[in-house]
Amino acid sequence: MATKRKFSGKQLVNFASSFFSDFRLNNMVYGVLIRSPLPRGKIRSISHPQLPEEYFLYTAKDIPGEKKLSLLGTEVPILAEDEVSYQGEPLAILVGPDKLKVRQLAKEVIIRFHRLEEGPGLSEALENQNIIVQRTISGENDAELVFAEADIQVEGSYASNCYTPHSGESAGGLALYQDNRLILYAPVQWFSQVRRSIAAGLGISPEQVEIRKTLVAGGNNRSQWYFAILSAQLAVAAYLCGKPVKMMFSREEQGLYFERPTPVVVSYRSAVSPEGKILAMIISIVLDTGIYNPFIQELMNRMIVAAVGVYNPSVYKIEAYAIKSQTPPTALTLQRMDSQIFFALESHLSEIAAKVGKMPHEVRLLNHERQPIKPFSFNFTYLEKVLKAVVDKSSFQRKYWSYNLARKDSCEKKLTSPVPIRGIGIACGFEGSGFLGSSRYIQDLTMELTLERDGTVVIHSYPPSSWVQSLWIKIVSKELDVEEKNIIINGNFAVDSEPLYPAGFFGNVGLMTQLLRKACTAIQKKRFQQPLPIHVSRGLTSAQKKQWNPDTFSGSPFFSTATGAAVVEVELDTFTYRTIIRGIWVAVEGGEILSPERAVATIKTAIRESIREFVAGEEIEVQDIFVELLPGSREPKQLGTLIYSLLPAAISSAISQACNKAVSTIPLQTNYVHQAFFPQLPDSGEAYETQSPDKGQEINLVEDEEQKEEAE
């Protein structure tokens, strides 16, 4: 009989029922980060001319433990000590009892520095070979040769840097050091890393760190890895001043430093037959990681796997480069990186269809149905069904040819007509669950389940989202014939048995759900043959692990895949140049869905958020949304980010048809339609350029003239 799991010491993770911003503790003070207004420089000193009593300024020199954290092998400073690496890098923490006065005093901080030459941007970094990770995947045949000899060549370069500002509580937390323990109130999900980071920064043991997870607004986990740094900064301040310290980012800080998206530029070059078959596809992927990103290898691996999507080119070559730049670190957007690739790929497929004069959905099916020769194998059994569903429901074929004829008119003729201009676009894609191509976490995933003596069933896991919790409880109730009220999700782990990663953190909810089913089956077999309690643990089988070969970077990269397709019809007003979405049709095969109504509501929410991301600073009106869930396999699959992979390409293809000008950069600028009609207007700039921090920070900079003279 398996022994029941044991716990030692005080519970190290508790779950609060409030947001951290609602907490008020006795003698609490407020903290604010002093950030570098320079992109690069050597720090000589950081000081304040006259801090009032009970206000304190802490720098890297005051940190009692390690001054740098190790995040999956990437060294990240808690506070910059000697040299500034990017504009906005934290240099110090100012704390005090009055929140407004703390922010005012922060503007009076004096930073003495020696300026250094700024680092290269994205394009310059690539030219200068400032590459930190790269990988090339190719078949036996020479793709460059096939492309050079082809009669029909289609080329395109696509840039994306989509980001939706988080509308919930800003990043931050509350830290308290008392009784030789550090207590952190924050919306943490990656408990093990946050605990290790705090312990390292304070020079204490991980058992002395207690995390009280507060509520999360909006389910945002794009920058959970950055909480390790933020939590260490809070802990240091609380430890040094001996009082509870609360810190909360401003909206500007949230967007610039906590949730900065990863800019990606993808280039496709395809040799195409007159029928629309892709004879060769050459792909180049360049992503800007900022100054660091601990998960950059994971991001790159997923992008390479998604690079040819659901298609099977005869010959292929994929090159991917991760570039380090002197900009703030990028957020963890592991699953969302797929969407940036699908935007480029699906836009390219629509251009191929236009080039050869074929229907876009027919070109897609033509290249999907061929025998796969790429190193990645998928199960896309239902792709034809989802494509047919959206094509039929949207009348895509009729509308596409009708709008195609209309777009042959010149922009000048269109402007003389009061009739709005319309376009329609299509895209298809997939979402993978349980990325076997990960080099870090997938091999160690386990699901543990205990049937107690009193009939209670305990799922040993840090609680995932409320929707996933509900799903897991329903599954256990059904499989073991136990009332839902008797099923508990218990996140109480000893430090040495704490999960390395939270459930669902890397898009593994489908896999964890499947393991939960297996654990239920194992308990069901034992429950009448051995005494209670019964504890079981289930992970990947050796056969499942062998589906992917990390040495050759080939095989089946996902435990399961959900497929989907979308059609979007747009209308452009020739007077206001605004875009109106007349209709969105989505079809998805997502395996077993226990609550179709909840799934449809989730998909519609994702549709609206994806649309908000598509155009910078503008709301697009949506008239109708239609979602169809097609019956498919029994295995549970994930649908959380599939919409983000479908909508951008479908909308951009529709706008491209209406404007007779290809959309190659997202988010779309608000004047894009106007510029399509009046191309003589100056361009508004690339949407994927990095934002600059607010110059109104008003920190006093004093350049070290002596050092400057020495340098000269």
Side-chain angles (χ1 to χ4, degrees), residues 71-72 163 189-190 219-227 257-262 289 292-300 302 329-338 340 438 440-441 501-502 504-507 641:
L71 302 180
L72 303 182
Y163 163 69
Q189 293 185 35
W190 195 1
N220 191 337
N221 69 350
R222 282 181 286 196
S223 295
Q224 278 299 316
W225 73 265
Y226 199 85
F227 257 113
Y257 310 118
F258 195 75
E259 294 183 345
R260 179 179 174 251
T262 305
T289 69
Y292 46 70
N293 187 317
F295 293 91
I296 194 59
Q297 186 66 66
E298 313 297 314
L299 294 172
M300 176 175 287
R302 283 193 67 120
T330 54
L332 171 62
T333 52
L334 197 57
Q335 299 98 292
R336 292 294 301 275
M337 294 306 293
D338 294 354
Q340 294 178 276
S438 170
R440 299 189 185 277
Y441 72 94
Y501 305 96
F505 194 44
F506 300 107
T641 59

Side-chain angles (χ1 to χ4, degrees), residues 21 85 96 178 184 217 231 302 308 364 412 445 449 454 508 662:
S21 55
S85 300
Q178 66 177 16
L184 174 71
S231 299
R302 283 193 67 120
V308 293
R364 284 167 167 80
E412 289 77 9
L445 285 180
L449 203 63
D454 61 0
N508 54 17

